[in-house]
Amino acid sequence: MTSDAAIMRAEDVVKRFGKLEVLKGVSLEVYTGEVVCIIGPSGSGKTTFIRCINHLEKIESGRIEVNGHLIGYEEKNGKLVEDSEKNIAKQRAEIGMVFQRFNLFPHKTALENVIEAPVNVRGLKKSQAIPEGQALLARVGLADKADTYPGKLSGGQQQRVAIARALAMKPSLMLFDEPTSALDPEVIGEVLDVMKALAVDFGTTMIVVTHEMGFAREVGDRVVMMDDGKIIEEGTPEHFFTAPREERTKQFLAAIL
């Protein structure tokens, strides 16, 4: 269930790479416990937008807040200036991120990957981090893989470790950047099942960039369509998959469904 509290608020976000304007004034609010799925063609700005939410990409103008805090910037004399690395790291601790490629440390076991940030960023004692990490691996169905190195895990298993690692920081918002796009078709389901459980059983607030329309239809509270750096339509899955308004949305869905 959602409440009235906006966990994430983006206002008129503009992002350029050189002369190319990739985000053209994107505004979006995401509420506590909500699952928002962002869809759209390649190059529409989806990945760039969620990378801006945790300041992996700097924005040209606009503002992004998570839990009421500006992300990446502070206000000085009415202007936004980039925040200190220390403050940005503290802000990022509230935001879990799962990438297309798993980005696990190859020289660390699954459990060591999961406890790395709680120990080194949050200062958690290893004696506390280990049982918490083991519980998270159990939650994603990998209790028996704690001592296994990433190279010995399938892509689906590596992505589930990456989800456990993101959850280990107890974030208030989880970002997923096309988390199944690098996976073999037969393991996509196991990752989507874990994400579905996070939403349904734990009420995790999630923004998911995805091409998995079945997931968007079944798990999403809201679907957002991006095209050419803008949000062109948003609504419930029922609206999107039965009666989209915009011609561009209809074209996109017709091409992929």
Side-chain angles (χ1 to χ4, degrees), residues 31-49:
Y31 296 91
T32 304
E34 198 177 21
V35 177
V36 174
C37 294
I38 302 179
I39 66 171
S42 294
S44 58
K46 309 181 301 292
T47 289
T48 299
F49 177 54

Side-chain angles (χ1 to χ4, degrees), residues 7 39 44 50 73 79 116 118 146 166 188 211 234 257:
I7 287 271
I39 66 171
S44 58
I50 68 164
Y73 299 89
K79 289 186 176 177
E116 171 81 10
I188 286 172
H211 291 298
E234 62 178 284
L257 291 177

